[in-house]
Amino acid sequence: MDAQSRGRADDIDPADQWVLNPQTGHYELRLDHSAGESPVAARTATGADSGHRGDTRIGSQRDGSASGDAGPREGSGRREESGSREESGRREVPGQRSRRASQGGGRGADASAAGGAGRRKRKAPKARRKKALMWTGGVTAFVVVAAGVGAYVLYERFNGNISTIDIGDAGNKDVLSEGPMNILIIGTDKRTGKGNEGYGDKGSEGHADTNILFHVSEDRTNATALSIPRDLMTDIPDCETKQPDGSTKTIPGTPGVRFNVSLGQEGRNPGCTMQTVEAITGIKPDHFMMVDFNAVKELTTAVGGVKVCMAKPVDDPKSHLKLPAGESVVAGEDALALLRTRHSFGNESDLDRIKVQQQFLGSMIREMKSSDTLTNPTKLFKLADAATNALTVDQGIGSAKKLMTLAQEIGKVDTKNITFVTLPVIDNPAEAVRATVVPHPTQAEQLFAMMRSDTSLTEVKQKEKAAKSAQAALLKGPKAAPADVRVDVLNGGEIAGAAGATVTWLQNQQGVLKSTNKANAPEKAGKTTLEYAPNQADQARALAEMMGLPAAAMKPGTADAGELEAMVLTLGADFKGAGIPITGPAKAPEGIEKASADKAVCAK
């Protein structure tokens, strides 16, 4: 191929405009030929072929039509040769490639003539490859979303695709919070898009049909994906919603209804669903991500299909799903039918459908973190386009930069340490015909307590537990006598009068007479914390034992305290009452079914 023909716009593959910057480990978009070259190289190339320009345009496609145009860009027409680049001592970001370059001739022949053997491709250092994989390997909490968002950030032209909803104070205004992250994934049954007439309720605003509370641990070594049944009977609390005119409207709560009406009904938005989740679990979601039927079809198609396994053949006339026994790859309409069907598995209940959904998401996570996806620019491009058009999120993560930050945090979790679990339930005792469920009287609260105390449901390897082990060591050692413990108590939780009640309990029940009620904390706290100086460590260990504080609550300082200086105990949203241990059980309750994202299971 003639070297001067490399600047033609019709020679450029959009996927080839993604290049990996070896300095940062990130893919970057290169729209002209001189991108990534040194100024000297660009000027040299331009001088050698000043009359050659490339008009490069990029357009994402949705339903077959172009939706974006990057506009004309000028190209240099020629790159600097390898010899001068090596002499400069700098490692440059490669420019875009052309399809014709792969056909041989031209440059390859010149390289052989000049130096004997042609240039060999240099492998990226292991650390940089790992960084690139971590950057793109997010899991949503619905991994397809997070990884897609990571790719989307590099294509800033998608910036306007994402829809946002103002949920007021229901979530977190910041992308990340101190400690664990909690993201509510909502799949609605709203019928949008062609071909969805057979699903959901006609004219419905959309119910909270599929719900997953995705809890990412503070140290990012593990995550728990808690599925909440749509048919769970619960009390929906009052919730404030933002109106189109900017005003705020309070929607009255409703006792004793299905969880799925926490969204869409009576004008409720995802913020109402988040508050309902908090009322049930005691865990406040930081953010939400919402998708509908059409999004499922587009996302699964963009990723190239999701591998699933059936223990027996499936032929469901209601969802029109037909799958053979064994492994299959589903996308689009088939993927949606699989996630929606209730008549092909188990006892045809919503609980059995949840198991299939968890297996499906686990497979999607594996696909998203596979090298076939992470190193395929074309696939990442399609996924980013689909994801950004499919997502509706809260304003706290409603920008490119914020979504990338969130994706990077989620991507730190190893697939094998992502555990799917369903909220433990029993049949509703108030019903003669089994149609709804209620939380299990003991198992549900035990599981919630584990999540609130950031206890992993997965056995994390020892090297990954190093940080937690160091934190846990803070609880080991001599403990001061109760009379020697000096502490100020602040209320950063939701229970009114919690600080005063705790001080009364400490003084009357535990003998901590040097405890003081300092009323409300300056701001709300998600987790209870105990701040103390190095010379107060024995007091801190004693108080932690009395209150059942987890290791994560211990916040040691670096400078010793004065003789009369008190520790600071800030009660958070995880505080349930004076005398009630804050930490949860060390292991999941007996009988809880768990599924790991790294293991394939055949649906029965």
Side-chain angles (χ1 to χ4, degrees), residues 21-23 30 34-43 80-94 122 128:
N21 185 337
Q23 300 288 4
R30 295 301 182 204
S34 62
E37 297 180 352
S38 66
V40 174
R43 287 196 300 270
E80 178 187 21
E81 295 299 331
S82 61
S84 60
R85 183 171 295 178
E86 291 173 357
E87 290 171 3
S88 69
R90 296 176 57 189
R91 300 187 65 185
E92 305 294 346
V93 180
R122 204 181 308 176
R128 288 176 183 150

Side-chain angles (χ1 to χ4, degrees), residues 149-382:
V149 166
Y152 138 79
V153 173
L154 299 182
Y155 281 87
E156 292 189 2
R157 68 193 188 88
F158 292 145
N159 200 31
N161 286 4
I162 298 177
S163 300
T164 62
I165 294 177
D166 187 350
I167 56 173
D169 296 330
N172 192 339
K173 301 298 183 183
D174 298 323
V175 182
L176 306 179
S177 57
E178 291 187 7
M181 292 192 308
N182 296 291
I183 304 169
L184 182 61
I185 310 303
I186 305 173
T188 77
D189 57 0
K190 185 175 182 179
R191 305 189 324 182
T192 62
K194 183 178 179 181
N196 295 323
E197 296 82 1
Y199 300 105
D201 297 330
K202 186 175 182 179
S204 171
E205 289 294 322
H207 303 84
D209 192 61
T210 299
N211 310 277
I212 298 176
L213 179 60
F214 195 81
H215 172 89
V216 183
S217 68
E218 181 176 13
D219 60 9
R220 309 304 190 240
T221 64
N222 63 89
T224 299
L226 174 69
S227 293
I228 302 175
R230 66 174 191 176
D231 293 330
L232 180 76
M233 295 299 287
T234 189
D235 296 336
I236 299 177
D238 296 350
C239 64
E240 292 186 349
T241 59
K242 292 288 185 178
Q243 303 301 301
D245 62 0
S247 63
T248 299
K249 178 182 178 181
T250 299
I251 301 177
T254 307
V257 292
R258 280 179 167 87
F259 177 88
N260 67 343
V261 300
S262 63
L263 175 69
Q265 311 306 298
E266 309 297 333
R268 296 186 178 105
N269 65 19
C272 299
T273 307
M274 294 169 71
Q275 292 179 54
T276 305
V277 169
E278 183 179 3
I280 294 170
T281 65
I283 301 167
K284 182 176 182 177
D286 296 299
H287 305 288
F288 81 86
M289 294 181 178
M290 184 168 66
V291 294
D292 59 20
F293 288 164
N294 213 49
V296 171
K297 294 196 290 188
E298 292 181 359
L299 290 169
T300 53
T301 300
V303 78
V306 177
K307 186 182 293 184
V308 296
C309 181
M310 303 293 110
K312 59 183 180 180
V314 173
D315 187 354
D316 182 5
K318 292 188 177 181
S319 67
H320 307 293
L321 177 66
K322 291 186 178 181
L323 292 174
E327 288 189 349
S328 300
V329 175
V330 296
E333 192 69 37
D334 287 339
L336 179 58
L338 175 63
L339 295 177
R340 291 288 300 163
T341 183
R342 292 201 307 174
H343 304 285
S344 302
F345 309 105
N347 61 4
E348 303 186 11
S349 70
D350 186 51
L351 298 178
D352 285 300
R353 182 174 66 168
I354 286 175
K355 294 178 183 179
V356 175
Q357 292 171 347
Q358 292 174 346
Q359 293 162 12
F360 180 89
L361 291 177
S363 180
M364 182 173 281
I365 290 171
R366 294 191 295 275
E367 174 64 26
M368 287 302 309
K369 290 211 168 189
S370 70
S371 59
D372 289 343
T373 297
L374 296 176
T375 60
N376 187 327
T378 301
K379 184 178 286 189
L380 285 175
F381 177 93
K382 292 178 180 178

Side-chain angles (χ1 to χ4, degrees), residues 13-28:
D13 183 346
D16 287 340
Q17 298 177 74
W18 265 21
V19 293
L20 180 65
N21 185 337
Q23 300 288 4
T24 65
H26 291 179
Y27 282 103
E28 297 181 3

